[in-house]
């Protein structure tokens, strides 16, 4: 890929939920970039804070949650400083979101065309109904649906069609980024593949960036350009797709890759089951949050948390294996560019 | 109408029949099997046994109970309820025909008040869940729920008819006007408009204010609660989050998207609340000397006029069943998801 | 670059979290209530306040005699005294020439006693006469004739003229007029002055309203609690059996209960109460019938849900006793709902009882009961607001306490509404 243009920068973003059991630190000091026109995969086990991250990006964390720190720079502006009106315009016009369950993410009492027209008119009240209707029709056709579907209620559509409507709702306003949170998870395999292809086409055609959030690393391998791996509210590794599959650096990424059936590190290894469970985020482990489950844990890991560090150009890892520290006894691994 | 909708309606109507049957049967047996002889208590102790027997004969009360029961059911089906035992022995159908419009005239504005206040404040409380305004609305609604409806009525009377006499104390119309009032439908408001009798219209309306507000307010308590709970659930649903992510304003999300979807469960609940409405009407009518069906029922129970009582309660049962049927049908019509 | 990382804060070790706190689902609902204080601040306070109120009402209901100043059935003062208003005292006036006499000496049937038309003097006179008759020897009956006068002057003039034997007037009515009649004197007071009156006033037959509403608490609580207990005792087992057994039995019972549930409760209660006749037991039965379906529905629903779940199937197949299934799987799930329903139920029953007695069904007419007092008060709506206001407020407050308890409990315990 040639010169990449920045779309958004997330810096030290933290989100906490207040629960009866205490503060849940669901996203802790997360940083990564999103480039124009790329498909960025955000993967991790469920409960690691992916959805929280996606919502935080649009400042949609509802109580009892709260963004407790950090910046979100979008096209050069810090959206953390936006007021409610700017934020509302930002959502939908700049960034749009698709959710996991297509059955429930459309208003059951609104027809498809009503959804689209509403989305347009909320942001551009001067647009006439007829114009909006034309736009809606165009969008529906582009998404490969028949025109008569415009008059359908959500329950009359299949899951895949509903997700396409959701995508269309994001695209009518020319959003620059679409966040797809587990958008394919509840679809069956064939439909899932279709939607995945379609997402790629959409990227080509509209030039939008896509943040694909999923626990399904195989899907990410297939459609994304770059990958962000999250664990327990921390970003563990960031890299382009090929290097990460060829040579996963972080022990967690390794475990994740080993646990998918068709991508094995080498032939001798059995299908792998990562030991232990993700931690309770009210009381995250000290030091590196992965240390209770890490096969390569060192003494220092329990005491100090490593920082996300660029170990080779465009490649970030948060692991003491690759970072120096005076208290470390073992050798630091150097990564080739 | 699609054939599937027709099938749904027919099944639904068929389901209503056993319900009415059970209620009517229950009433019959409560009135007849429980201890207490209606004829004796109606005639009083001074009437001789022969006279009592004669009356039983005349009313068919000496026949076996099951024959009486089927007779009664048949009367219900044909909507011919026989004649009352007391006060002129008029056909019950005529008596109810006079009383029913009064009750309906009272309940319609009451329902409107309830729905308006109840749904709006319930939605507002849900939107502000756990904020002080939510607690206040809820406390108020529980308080309203806890006030006996007749007490509320009496307090209104003390305030607005006695202390600051701006409204009439009770009744449906000033007695003076009533003497020359021509009643066609027995809906006084409609009749006054039909005959162009403006003073009567004014009087009918002012008489309507207190009773209907009392009845309406008394029901809001329940309604606020229902709306609130359903709205809270609705506001947690995915399509609201999705709408928010599309930049749809919060107000629109709450009052258009969520509220519209909340109407559907609320509507079914409204069907159930109808029973409370009828019970409330009995008390309101007593408080305001409103000559409706509720007051009629109480009067006739006091007189132990069991034919009239059976018939009236049967009509109530029919009403309840019909309303719940109606609600289900509306439900089916407005909710696009329903598959029959 | 390295040195920056060394200074990084050392993550704190996890604090000790009590085991039971970690798994809220395992916490019994009583303990969850205490936990709730932090999470449902407002509702927690609602629960606490209503619990305190209820405790107070229950104590009042059990020991009304500790709180009530008078016997609720006794006529203890003049009728329709406004709250706090002291009963007016009345003076007996006689001619000087009759000397030092008392009321008894001029209350024969042949005596005439005058007063102003429309004043409460007639009542004072009646009270005094009643008092005399109580102590009167066998065969003696006091009953002076009453003479009504338009004005005080007229009456006093006729007393001075010897047409009547005495005149009754309050000090206020009298004013200074007596000075114009030098031949007349005040001989005694018919009713003692200085009584502070009745805080909530008296009703139309001179009973103390405060005492009546205090004793009314007892009736309301008896009816409310017992009918709720009866509904509970019928509804819960029926729901359990219906849910467990299933089949046609379940279907018929459900239809029956649904019909009952959808019918206006008060009207059903009226019919039953009317047929059964007056009496507290009958009232309890009539009201209990109304709430059976509510318990039935919730318990049946839960039982069905639990029965569906595999673990009970498994538990049953390895021969667990059904009592164990009840105790371990069903009760824990239904108890919170049943507690909520019970609380709302008692409040509702009290409302319905008040409604029934307001309509004149149910309790014997002189029972100190809020509904009965309200019904009687309705006749005096133009004159005596206090006859209505106080009993009405009592019904409202007691019902409010029960409903507030139920409603806030449901907000705290309702799983549909709890966030994580
Ligand atoms: N509304 C909420 N209230 C409290 N905790 C929450 C809430 N939503 C998410 N969490 C917590 O935040 C963490 C991350 O959740 P989420 O972002 O949904 O993970 P993912 O999408 O990766 O499965 C989890 O530990 C979860 O328990
Ligand atoms: S920092 Fe230590 S514990 Fe964490 S992943 Fe690296 S080696 Fe494992
Ligand atoms: Mg998620």
């Amino acid at each position: 890929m040639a010169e990449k243009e920045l779309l958004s920068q997330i810096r030290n973003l933290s989100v906490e939920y207040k629960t009866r059991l205490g503060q849940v630190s669901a996203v802790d000091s997360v940083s990564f970039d999103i480039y124009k026109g790329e498909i960025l995969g955000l993967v991790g086990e469920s409960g690691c804070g992916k959805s929280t991250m996606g919502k935080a990006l649009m400042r949609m964390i509802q109580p009892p949650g709260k963004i407790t720190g950090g910046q979100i720079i979008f096209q050069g502006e810090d959206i953390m400083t936006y007021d409610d009106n700017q934020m509302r315009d930002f959502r939908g016009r700049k960034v749009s979101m698709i959710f996991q369950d297509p059955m429930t993410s459309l208003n059951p009492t609104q027809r498809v065309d009503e959804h689209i027209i509403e989305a347009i008119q909320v942001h551009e009240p001067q647009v006439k109904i007829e114009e909006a209707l034309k736009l809606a029709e165009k969008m529906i056709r582009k998404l490969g649906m028949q025109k008569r579907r415009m008059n359908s209620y959500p329950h009359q559509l299949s899951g895949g069609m509903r997700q396409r409507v959701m995508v269309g709702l994001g695209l009518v306003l020319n959003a620059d980024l679409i966040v797809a949170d587990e958008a394919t998870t509840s679809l069956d395999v064939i439909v899932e593949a279709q939607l995945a292809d379609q997402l790629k086409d959409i990227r080509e055609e509209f030039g939008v960036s896509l943040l694909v959030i999923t626990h399904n690393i195989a899907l990410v391998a297939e459609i994304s350009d770059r990958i962000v791996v999250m664990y327990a509210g921390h970003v563990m590794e960031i890299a382009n797709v090929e290097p990460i599959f060829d040579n996963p650096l972080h022990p967690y990424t390794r475990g994740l890759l080993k646990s998918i059936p068709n991508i094995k590190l080498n032939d001798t290894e059995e299908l792998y089951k990562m030991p232990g469970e993700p931690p309770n985020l009210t009381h995250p482990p000290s030091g590196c949050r992965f240390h209770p489950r890490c096969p390569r844990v060192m003494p220092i890991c329990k005491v100090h948390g490593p920082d996300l560090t660029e170990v080779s150009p465009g490649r970030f890892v948060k692991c003491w294996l690759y970072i120096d520290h005076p208290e470390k006894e073992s050798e630091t691994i150097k990564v080739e560019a | 109408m699609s054939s599937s909708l027709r099938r749904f309606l027919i099944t639904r109507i068929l389901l209503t029949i056993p319900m009415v049957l059970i209620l009517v049967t229950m009433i019959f047996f409560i009135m007849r099997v429980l201890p207490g002889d209606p004829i004796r208590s109606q005639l009083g102790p001074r009437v001789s046994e022969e006279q009592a027997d004669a009356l039983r004969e005349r009313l068919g009360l000496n026949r076996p109970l099951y024959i009486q029961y089927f007779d009664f059911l048949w009367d219900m089906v044909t909507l011919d309820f026989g004649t009352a035992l007391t006060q002129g022995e008029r056909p019950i159908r005529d008596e109810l025909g006079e009383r029913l419009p009064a009750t309906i005239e009272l309940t319609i504005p009451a329902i409107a008040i309830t729905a308006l206040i109840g749904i709006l404040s319930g939605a507002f409380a849900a939107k502000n869940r756990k904020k002080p305004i939510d607690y206040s609305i809820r406390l108020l609604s529980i308080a309203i729920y806890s006030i006996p409806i007749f007490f509320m009525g009496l307090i209104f009377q003390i305030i607005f008819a006695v202390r600051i006499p701006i409204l009439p104390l009770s009744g449906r119309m000033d007695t003076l006007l009533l003497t020359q009032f021509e009643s066609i439908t027995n809906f006084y408001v409609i009749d006054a408009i039909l005959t162009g009798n403006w003073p009567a219209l004014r009087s009918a309306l002012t008489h309507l204010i207190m009773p209907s507000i009392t009845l309406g307010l008394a029901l809001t308590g329940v309604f606020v609660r229902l709306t609130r709970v359903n709205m809270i659930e609705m506001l947690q649903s995915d399509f609201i989050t999705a709408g928010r992510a599309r930049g749809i304003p919060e107000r629109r999300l709450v009052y258009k998207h969520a509220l519209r979807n909340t109407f559907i469960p609320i509507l079914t609940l409204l069907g159930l609340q109808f029973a409370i409405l009828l019970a409330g009407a009995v008390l309101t009518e007593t408080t305001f000397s409103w000559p409706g069906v509720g007051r009629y029922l109480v009067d006739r129970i006091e007189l132990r006029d069991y034919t009239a009582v059976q018939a009236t309660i049967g009509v109530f049962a029919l009403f309840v069943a019909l309303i719940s049927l109606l609600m289900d049908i509306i439900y089916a019509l407005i909710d696009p998801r329903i598959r029959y | 670059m390295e040195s920056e990382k060394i200074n990084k804060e050392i993550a704190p070790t996890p604090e000790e979290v009590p085991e039971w706190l970690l798994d809220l689902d395992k916490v019994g609902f009583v303990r969850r209530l205490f936990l709730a204080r932090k999470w449902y601040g407002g509702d927690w306070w609602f629960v606490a306040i209503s619990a305190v109120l209820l405790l107070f009402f229950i104590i009042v209901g059990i020991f009304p005699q500790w709180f009530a100043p008078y016997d609720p059935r006794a006529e203890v003062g003049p009728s329709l005294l406004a709250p706090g208003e002291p009963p007016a005292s009345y003076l007996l006036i006689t001619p000087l020439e009759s000397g030092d006499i008392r009321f008894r000496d001029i209350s024969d049937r042949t005596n005439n006693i005058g007063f102003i038309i429309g004043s409460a003097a007639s009542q004072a006179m009646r009270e005094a006469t009643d008092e005399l008759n109580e102590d009167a020897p066998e065969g003696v009956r006091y009953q002076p004739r009453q003479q009504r006068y338009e004005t005080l002057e007229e009456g006093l003039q006729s007393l001075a003229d010897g047409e009547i034997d005495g005149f009754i007037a309050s000090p206020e009515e009298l004013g200074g007029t007596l000075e114009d009649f030098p031949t007349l004197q005040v001989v005694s007071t018919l009713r003692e002055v200085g009584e502070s009156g009745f805080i909530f006033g008296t009703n139309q037959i001179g009973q103390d309203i405060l005492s009546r509403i205090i004793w009314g608490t007892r009736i309301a609580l008896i009816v409310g609690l017992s009918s709720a207990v009866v509904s509970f005792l019928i509804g819960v087992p029926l729901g359990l059996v219906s849910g467990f057994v299933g089949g046609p039995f379940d279907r018929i019972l459900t239809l029956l209960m649904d019909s009952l549930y959808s019918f206006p409760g008060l009207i059903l209660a009226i019919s039953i109460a009317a047929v059964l006749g007056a009496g507290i037991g009958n009232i309890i039965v009539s009201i209990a019938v109304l709430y059976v379906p509510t318990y039935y529905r919730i318990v049946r629903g839960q039982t069905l849900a639990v029965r569906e779940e595999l673990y009970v199937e498994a538990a049953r197949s390895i021969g667990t006793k059904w009592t164990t299934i009840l105790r371990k799987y069903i009760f824990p799930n239904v108890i919170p709902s049943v507690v909520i329903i019970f609380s709302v139920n008692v409040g509702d029953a009290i409302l319905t009882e008040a409604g029934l007695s307001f309509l004149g069904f149910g309790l014997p007419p002189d029972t100190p009961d809020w509904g009965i007092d309200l019904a009687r008060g309705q006749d005096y709506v133009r004159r005596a607001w206090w006859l209505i206001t106080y009993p009405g407020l009592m019904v409202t407050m007691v019902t409010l306490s029960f409903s507030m308890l139920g409603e806030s409990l449901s907000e705290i315990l309702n799983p549909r509404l709890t966030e994580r």
Side-chain angles (χ1 to χ4, degrees), chain A residues 117-243:
Chain A
I117 292 171
E118 181 183 38
I120 297 172
Q121 289 200 323
V122 156
H123 291 282
E124 277 154 27
Q126 75 280 3
V127 176
K128 296 252 160 29
I129 296 253
E130 303 83 63
E131 282 174 63
L133 207 61
K134 273 201 205 100
L135 274 172
E137 263 183 56
K138 229 166 75 191
M139 184 51 65
I140 287 285
R141 219 170 303 125
K142 264 188 196 163
L143 291 167
M145 288 163 66
Q146 292 148 314
K147 196 186 146 199
R148 64 181 175 91
R149 292 298 187 193
M150 296 266 292
N151 297 320
S152 303
Y153 282 98
H155 74 269
Q156 295 164 325
L157 304 177
S158 67
M161 275 196 264
R162 274 181 244 185
Q163 283 306 46
R164 274 183 273 172
V165 173
M166 287 299 292
V167 175
L169 282 174
L171 292 172
V172 276
L173 291 161
N174 297 315
D176 298 289
L177 174 66
I178 294 183
V179 179
D181 186 358
E182 306 276 12
T184 63
T185 305
S186 64
L187 304 175
D188 64 53
V189 192
I190 298 172
V191 183
E192 176 174 20
Q194 278 174 358
L195 187 65
D197 282 346
Q198 198 159 31
L199 289 180
K200 276 203 264 188
D201 294 346
I202 283 167
R203 186 256 305 262
E204 301 301 332
E205 192 175 340
F206 294 85
V208 291
S209 311
L210 284 159
L211 178 64
V212 176
I213 298 178
T214 179
H215 66 278
N216 180 352
I217 199 161
L219 175 79
V220 159
E222 195 183 314
I223 70 170
S224 45
D225 306 317
R226 285 194 315 132
I227 291 185
V228 175
V229 179
M230 269 187 85
Y231 178 80
H234 281 169
V235 167
M236 293 306 191
E237 186 164 1
I238 304 177
N240 288 336
V241 176
E242 297 85 29

Side-chain angles (χ1 to χ4, degrees), chain B residues 3-41:
Chain B
S3 73
S4 57
L5 180 58
R6 193 174 311 131
R7 193 152 10 97
F8 164 77
L9 292 183
I10 290 171
T11 354
R12 187 58 193 77
I13 290 168
L14 287 180
L15 270 177
T16 312
I17 294 172
M19 202 175 128
V20 177
L21 193 68
I22 287 176
L23 283 176
V24 165
T25 308
M26 217 150 57
I27 292 308
F28 179 84
F29 285 100
I30 285 176
M31 298 303 292
R32 308 298 305 286
V33 178
L34 288 185
D37 175 1
I39 292 300
R40 276 253 76 98
S41 55

